[in-house]
Amino acid sequence: MSIPLLDLNRQYESIKPEIKKAIDKVLESQYFIMGDEVRELEEEVWKYCEANYAYGCASGSDALLLALMAIDLQPGDYVITSPFTFFATAGAISRIGGIPIFLDIEKDSFNLDPKEVKRFLDGEHPVFKKLDPDREKIKAIIPVHLYGQVADMDPINKLAKEHNLHVIEDAAQSIGAEYKGQRAGSLGDFGCFSFFPSKNLGAFGDAGLITVKDETLAQKTDILRLHGAKPKYHHSLVGINSRLDTIQAAVLSVKLQYLDEWSDRRREIAQTYNHLFAEAGIVGELGDCSGSCSAMGGNECELHSDKIITPQETTGSPRENGRHIYHQYTIRTRKRDVVMKALKAKDIGHSIYYPIPLHEQECFAYLGYEPKDCPVSHCASKQAISLPIFPELSSEEIEEVVNTVVDAVLG
Ligand SMILES: Cc1ncc(COP(=O)(O)O)c(C=O)c1O
């Protein structure tokens, strides 16, 4: 049985007539740019995300860029973020000449660790000493809600307030995820969403959206995505061309109606995986990361055994009322190579998100980071592996994935 990491055909088959009807309506109107469907989707999404304003744009990468443009990030300004994320998070900072400050993640959630941010802003972090930044130039924090789980936003927002920083949520993987009952995209000053086809809410091509809290910044964002012009041909700002196509908006509106149902099914699948792995006796507990683990060249490891670590729902207790929407179901194992080989042999989809943390990327070598500056991220990049998860995944497929991983770990 071949099992894909993600099968979008199954989703398409289940909603085909509605999608075709919605696209046909746009084709009949021939209104491909900023048509009614775009405004309608924007309204649906700000309501869904419990945000104040929402603007469609061309991609999640552009949503991040627009947020940084809206806060007037200047070349040489610093932005704090996670090194354990897709490149676009830091790419957006660099594209306007900003300097990313990578601080380590929590070992359980894989998200930016507020304790690291505090240590940095207090000037006590080795990375602070290394970068020696002009404090006035530190302008924002971009927490990333990785794999479908919201970062620990209360302490991050508190630190941002104390240090007068903007908070830009990279919610590309987390539409509908919740933190203490609040939706991703409503917690910071901006929420940046990607509708890349493989996302939980995926378009038929590139697409993105940005939510904004403050009215003035919202108006600015709206203009920036339209070349900085309002009204047309009157440019108060230098913006970019980053619009959400009407056809994409029409597709997304259809899919948005199913999103909660799909996310609930993803949660159910994750629970089934957790249960089956536990039943097979291969689930270990996360220990303390000493920074001297085998991945760092030492001989200790927070995974003290060859067991696996299943995803930790840190947005649940003690961070009550959390909702992980499982964009990815990611386990950790010291036996990753063995597990990958077994999955490959059975044609079971899997992927490593992300094999090289951003503080170790060649393009950021100029910052002078070493792997040990963000040891948890380094370690996660050596141990994390994502398994198939999508709403239409069958029970038989889940069992096959589990059996394959269990045999590989025990064998
Ligand atoms: C965490 C994260 N940030 C940003 C992006 C960029 O989104 P896009 O591919 O729509 O530009 C992605 C998605 O690929 C992502 O996963």
Side-chain angles (χ1 to χ4, degrees):
M1 182 192 329
S2 149
I3 305 170
L5 183 61
L6 168 68
D7 185 350
L8 287 173
N9 278 311
R10 295 188 211 178
Q11 184 190 79
Y12 181 49
E13 283 305 321
S14 71
I15 51 173
K16 207 181 219 170
E18 287 167 84
I19 293 273
K20 288 201 159 173
K21 196 169 153 205
I23 292 179
D24 206 39
K25 192 167 162 232
V26 180
L27 296 184
E28 290 302 322
S29 78
Q30 292 288 299
Y31 202 175
F32 297 117
I33 304 290
M34 299 303 279
D36 290 346
E37 285 79 356
V38 176
R39 295 280 178 215
E40 281 160 24
L41 178 79
E42 288 170 349
E43 189 177 337
E44 286 159 13
V45 175
W46 67 249
K47 284 185 180 155
Y48 182 80
C49 293
E50 298 158 359
N52 293 349
Y53 304 90
Y55 302 101
C57 60
S59 65
S61 305
D62 273 6
L64 290 158
L65 185 68
L66 284 163
L68 293 168
M69 290 172 77
I71 63 162
D72 268 328
L73 194 85
Q74 296 297 314
D77 283 346
Y78 293 88
V79 180
I80 294 169
T81 193
S82 162
F84 197 60
T85 176
F86 180 61
F87 182 77
T89 315
I93 301 167
S94 292
R95 270 170 73 190
I96 31 181
I99 302 167
I101 296 170
F102 299 116
L103 296 175
D104 215 356
I105 54 171
E106 299 172 322
K107 63 178 186 220
D108 47 6
S109 71
F110 298 103
N111 285 328
L112 183 64
D113 186 342
K115 292 188 289 306
E116 288 284 288
V117 180
K118 179 166 178 359
R119 201 148 71 100
F120 181 86
L121 291 170
D122 287 347
E124 286 162 10
H125 200 292
V127 169
F128 189 91
K129 291 173 185 127
K130 188 177 290 208
L131 297 179
D132 193 22
D134 176 351
R135 279 184 176 277
E136 293 296 303
K137 292 192 170 191
I138 305 173
K139 295 290 165 64
I141 308 177
I142 307 185
V144 182
H145 306 328
L146 203 73
Y147 303 150
Q149 174 155 251
V150 181
D152 194 2
M153 292 302 291
D154 278 355
I156 290 173
N157 280 333
K158 185 167 174 269
L159 286 163
K161 204 167 172 197
E162 282 165 13
H163 294 267
N164 201 20
L165 309 175
H166 286 284
V167 176
I168 299 168
E169 297 172 69
D170 183 338
Q173 302 185 4
S174 289
I175 188 158
E178 289 173 18
Y179 173 85
K180 299 188 179 176
Q182 266 184 275
R183 287 256 156 112
S186 71
L187 294 146
D189 298 309
F190 299 88
C192 301
F193 294 91
S194 166
F195 301 131
F196 185 80
S198 63
K199 296 292 192 273
N200 288 26
L201 180 63
F204 285 2
D206 276 313
L209 179 138
I210 180 165
T211 52
V212 193
K213 188 169 272 168
D214 170 79
E215 188 183 353
T216 310
L217 287 174
Q219 284 166 358
K220 205 167 161 190
T221 306
D222 185 17
I223 296 172
L224 281 168
R225 70 177 167 158
L226 302 167
H227 285 297
K230 198 170 189 180
K232 215 174 177 185
Y233 303 122
H234 291 74
H235 298 261
S236 52
L237 300 164
V238 178
I240 55 174
N241 171 12
S242 184
R243 295 170 296 226
L244 174 69
D245 289 339
T246 312
I247 285 185
Q248 301 299 356
V251 168
L252 290 164
S253 277
V254 172
K255 289 196 180 190
L256 184 60
Q257 300 169 65
Y258 296 95
L259 185 60
D260 277 331
E261 197 182 302
W262 290 338
S263 296
D264 286 345
R265 174 67 188 139
R266 282 172 180 270
R267 289 181 53 72
E268 208 174 276
I269 293 169
Q271 273 153 22
T272 307
Y273 270 136
N274 290 347
H275 173 73
L276 294 176
F277 283 134
E279 211 173 49
I282 64 157
V283 179
E285 297 211 346
L286 268 177
D288 285 332
C289 184
S290 61
S292 60
C293 59
S294 51
M296 298 299 304
N299 49 19
E300 289 175 37
C301 182
E302 63 182 87
L303 301 185
H304 292 292
S305 66
D306 283 337
K307 296 193 166 175
I308 68 165
I309 301 296
T310 47
Q312 313 281 302
E313 284 207 20
T314 58
T315 45
S317 175
R319 299 178 200 160
E320 315 81 35
N321 297 324
R323 185 184 189 222
H324 191 326
I325 49 118
Y326 288 95
H327 173 56
Q328 299 296 342
Y329 180 88
T330 304
I331 60 167
R332 293 177 66 153
T333 165
R334 284 166 79 175
K335 289 183 148 184
R336 187 170 71 181
D337 289 348
V338 179
V339 170
M340 276 171 57
K341 202 169 158 201
L343 291 169
K344 204 167 168 202
K346 291 215 179 158
D347 206 7
I348 296 175
H350 56 277
S351 194
I352 298 173
Y353 303 114
Y354 296 92
I356 307 173
L358 299 186
H359 71 294
E360 296 174 35
Q361 293 288 350
E362 196 182 333
C363 63
F364 296 124
Y366 74 96
L367 294 170
Y369 273 87
E370 293 168 74
K372 68 173 170 45
D373 289 325
C374 302
V376 184
S377 302
H378 178 89
C379 194
S381 75
K382 304 281 179 218
Q383 297 178 337
I385 175 167
S386 300
L387 303 175
I389 191 159
F390 53 93
E392 302 80 11
L393 196 67
S394 70
S395 308
E396 294 74 41
E397 287 173 317
I398 297 169
E399 271 172 40
E400 179 72 3
V401 175
V402 170
N403 291 340
T404 308
V405 173
V406 171
D407 287 350
V409 169
L410 294 179

